[in-house]
Amino acid sequence: MKSILNYIDGEFVRGKCDFADVNPADGSTIAQVSEANEDIVDRAVCAARKALRGDWGRLIVRDRAVCLNRAADAIEARFDSFVAAEVADTGKPIALASKLDVPRAAANFRAFADLIKTAGLESFQTETPDGKNALNYAVRKPLGVVGIITPWNLPLLLLTWKVAPALACGNTVVVKPSEETPATATLLAEAMKEAGIPDGVYNVVHGFGPNSAGEFLTRHPDVNAVTFTGESQTGAAIMKSVAATVKPVSFELGGKNAAIVFADCDFDDAVSGVAEAAFLNTGQVCLCTERIYVERAIFDGFVDKLKLKAGSLRIGSPLDKTTDLGPLISAQHRDKVLSYYRLAREEGATLITGGGVPGFGSPLDKGFYVQPTIYTGLPESARCVKEEIFGPVCHIAPFDTEEEAISMANDTKYGLAASVWTTNLKRGHRVAQRMNVGITWVNCWFLRDLRTPFGGAGLSGIGREGGMHSLNFYSELNNVCIRL
Ligand code: NAD
Ligand code: 6OD
């Protein structure tokens, strides 16, 4: 059986206990993962601190950018291994991992390599009370050791989204990937070595959250900042854990995202776009749309067409290049999603399609599959309309006025993303600007430019990453004031 080990100071390190890495497509065990205890996490943090004082800490910005580009090259050189590892761990379709996850990992490194070379900082010429001048300018320094904790839905994409800017700013990192998807963070260690990134700059510890590697990392006194992507409740636990040592945090959390479809939309584009937003990655993208508001004039036609789209999705083996929908990540997560399918019935929903588990008559029956599911007819107060389900499921409700649609879309404690579907340019801008979220797409969804701010309001997060926002989070700015 394959072992997945911790990675500290350039060496693979075995812990005292193992846990199983399970393939969600058939429930088989892929590997045994070595869990990091508190000592191992401490060794990783010490290695990261030591590396700050070594060659890495002395590199000029241009050479750091070269390292990041070499990391991207190393990912591309092992493209097939990264795709295979991501597909086995997550059960996502091979076509999706090849198109989205692995290319974005390389793109994350290239984007921040480019940005750090050109990033400027503000300066001010200041008039002093005695009629003379002072010059203020800021310098960018690393924060130190950054703890990075990531989820299982887009493991490599979300990990590198944080590792790349952290390294661009000269930090060293200890990463704790999800216990469900440990493989690609570990493979990235090999790519980092190949890219010539000094030992100790990138360290990996494996394990769970509470009373395991996640908590040991966040409460470690020598970790200078924590960046986390995952559930809102986990964010709350991490806030408590970092409070004692007052660490800066960046949180990208859950969502209950809305799409607003106006009668003047390009109908076919809107149906395809909303179907993708509801079902991509089996609905396991934080940006996925679980609430759809459709103007009453096109409501029935839209529901029919979305049902046809859901019915045309090919559910099957992640290794089949034509598969659209793989399994959910785990038996536990499938239980959670199915409990919402039951709850929707109890809350009085009308089932339009799905609502159950597909049968294959093959080993895939042991996988954690569910059907893509559409409901209508729930009141806005229903738990299925309020709570994040994180599966291939959406609820569609009609609206009569723009104001009503905006008010329903904003009636949530989350605030991650929204999409607006209309051919009326003015309305597109107007509605988009009134969404209480970190990102609103108009006539598109999950279209990313890595220089733009990304994050959420309310339960969806704290802070923004992306472009200069990432550089500012991963840097300590020292303002120098010189009396002239
Ligand atoms: P999760 O919060 O359960 O776990 C995420 C990571 O946190 C894992 O590595 C886990 O081991 C670790 N963890 C758990 N408890 C911890 C603790 N007490 N201390 C330290 N670490 C701890 O999330 P998940 O189930 O892996 O991912 C799904 C969730 O992530 C969804 O809510 C989804 O919306 C959210 N998400 C948000 C974004 C975003 O960009 N906003 C992106 C992806 C996923
Ligand atoms: O595209 C990104 O940068 C990003 N952080 C996406 C998050 C997706 C959530 O599952």
Side-chain angles (χ1 to χ4, degrees):
M1 174 71 59
K2 192 178 155 202
S3 292
I4 294 182
L5 303 181
N6 304 288
Y7 182 73
I8 300 173
D9 210 5
E11 304 285 338
F12 286 98
V13 174
R14 195 175 284 282
K16 290 209 172 81
C17 320
D18 285 351
F19 60 93
D21 180 14
V22 172
N23 183 337
D26 58 11
S28 62
T29 299
I30 305 165
Q32 289 298 326
V33 189
S34 190
E35 185 176 357
N37 60 14
E38 198 154 11
D39 274 356
I40 290 184
V41 173
D42 184 54
R43 276 171 62 189
V45 174
C46 290
R49 183 141 306 277
K50 189 180 79 181
L52 283 169
R53 298 188 297 266
D55 290 347
W56 179 251
R58 288 187 288 273
L59 279 189
I60 59 171
V61 167
R62 197 181 53 222
D63 291 341
R64 262 191 250 140
V66 169
C67 285
L68 294 193
N69 277 317
R70 283 205 305 249
D73 295 342
I75 291 171
E76 282 161 358
R78 292 162 171 265
F79 189 88
D80 291 343
S81 310
F82 275 106
V83 168
E86 205 69 310
V87 168
D89 264 7
T90 59
K92 70 178 64 203
I94 190 165
L96 182 61
S98 308
K99 191 179 78 178
L100 174 67
D101 299 70
V102 179
R104 241 311 281 281
N108 285 337
F109 280 104
R110 296 208 193 283
F112 288 104
D114 284 348
L115 196 63
I116 195 66
K117 282 188 292 192
T118 52
L121 281 166
E122 69 251 77
S123 71
F124 300 94
Q125 185 145 327
T126 309
E127 289 172 8
T128 57
D130 58 3
K132 296 190 175 157
N133 279 299
L135 175 67
N136 280 284
Y137 65 93
V139 287
R140 190 181 290 289
K141 304 203 308 186
L143 291 167
V145 177
V146 178
I148 298 181
I149 301 190
T150 47
W152 45 256
N153 61 329
L154 305 168
L156 184 67
L157 185 161
L158 292 172
L159 182 83
T160 50
W161 173 239
K162 292 175 180 299
V163 169
L167 298 194
C169 294
N171 300 286
T172 58
V173 300
V174 179
V175 308
K176 208 297 283 169
S178 169
E179 56 275 29
E180 309 279 6
T181 53
T184 46
T186 314
L187 203 50
L188 186 61
E190 292 174 22
M192 292 298 209
K193 190 94 157 172
E194 214 168 274
I197 291 178
D199 293 345
V201 172
Y202 175 81
N203 305 277
V204 186
V205 292
H206 291 294
F208 303 84
N211 201 27
S212 182
E215 185 183 333
F216 302 148
L217 184 60
T218 57
R219 73 167 189 226
H220 197 292
D222 253 355
V223 169
N224 299 95
V226 170
T227 176
F228 166 71
T229 302
E231 277 191 20
S232 305
Q233 283 313 311
T234 310
I238 292 176
M239 275 188 100
K240 281 196 191 141
S241 173
V242 301
T245 42
V246 198
K247 300 186 210 312
V249 291
S250 173
F251 283 173
E252 299 182 346
L253 308 178
K256 184 75 183 177
N257 310 302
I260 302 180
V261 184
F262 287 97
D264 63 13
C265 69
D266 178 322
F267 188 78
D268 291 340
D269 270 7
V271 172
S272 301
V274 171
E276 191 185 26
F279 302 126
L280 188 83
N281 207 34
T282 318
Q284 302 167 114
V285 179
C286 59
L287 308 159
C288 274
T289 300
E290 292 189 4
R291 297 180 295 138
I292 305 170
Y293 299 103
V294 180
E295 195 164 356
R296 199 174 298 276
I298 59 163
F299 182 78
D300 291 340
F302 189 90
V303 172
D304 287 349
K305 266 290 168 60
L306 199 68
K307 176 183 173 180
L308 281 179
K309 279 274 176 203
S312 72
L313 294 171
R314 286 172 300 247
I315 311 178
S317 165
L319 294 174
D320 180 338
K321 285 190 175 135
T322 65
T323 293
D324 298 306
L325 234 57
L328 294 170
I329 188 67
S330 62
Q332 194 191 6
H333 190 51
R334 182 168 72 170
D335 288 347
K336 175 184 158 182
V337 171
L338 289 177
S339 79
Y340 277 99
Y341 286 9
R342 281 193 300 279
L343 179 65
R345 282 199 296 277
E346 286 158 25
E347 291 187 310
T350 302
L351 176 67
I352 301 298
T353 187
V357 171
F360 299 98
S362 77
L364 297 183
D365 285 330
K366 293 205 177 112
F368 313 128
Y369 288 85
V370 294
Q371 292 170 326
T373 295
I374 302 174
Y375 294 108
T376 58
L378 285 172
E380 284 300 291
S381 57
R383 281 182 54 205
C384 288
V385 179
K386 287 279 169 266
E387 297 173 13
E388 182 187 50
I389 302 172
F390 218 55
V393 51
C394 57
H395 177 256
I396 318 182
F399 69 85
D400 292 303
T401 65
E402 186 176 306
E403 208 49 46
E404 186 193 5
I406 292 170
S407 149
M408 290 197 289
N410 279 338
D411 185 14
T412 169
K413 290 192 164 36
Y414 290 100
L416 190 58
S419 63
V420 180
W421 302 84
T422 176
T423 51
N424 178 331
L425 190 59
K426 279 191 179 168
R427 195 206 306 262
H429 285 285
R430 190 167 64 226
V431 176
Q433 290 182 26
R434 288 188 59 195
M435 293 292 100
N436 296 333
V437 295
I439 185 160
T440 307
W441 282 286
V442 180
N443 298 328
C444 56
W445 175 77
F446 204 1
L447 176 59
R448 295 282 287 117
D449 180 325
L450 306 187
R451 297 165 298 183
T452 58
F454 184 92
L459 282 187
S460 293
I462 296 182
R464 295 290 181 272
E465 297 197 33
M468 290 304 294
H469 303 274
S470 294
L471 298 190
N472 288 340
F473 174 74
Y474 294 103
S475 306
E476 203 66 80
L477 297 183
N478 175 6
N479 184 70
V480 178
C481 175
I482 305 181
R483 190 175 167 81
L484 297 174

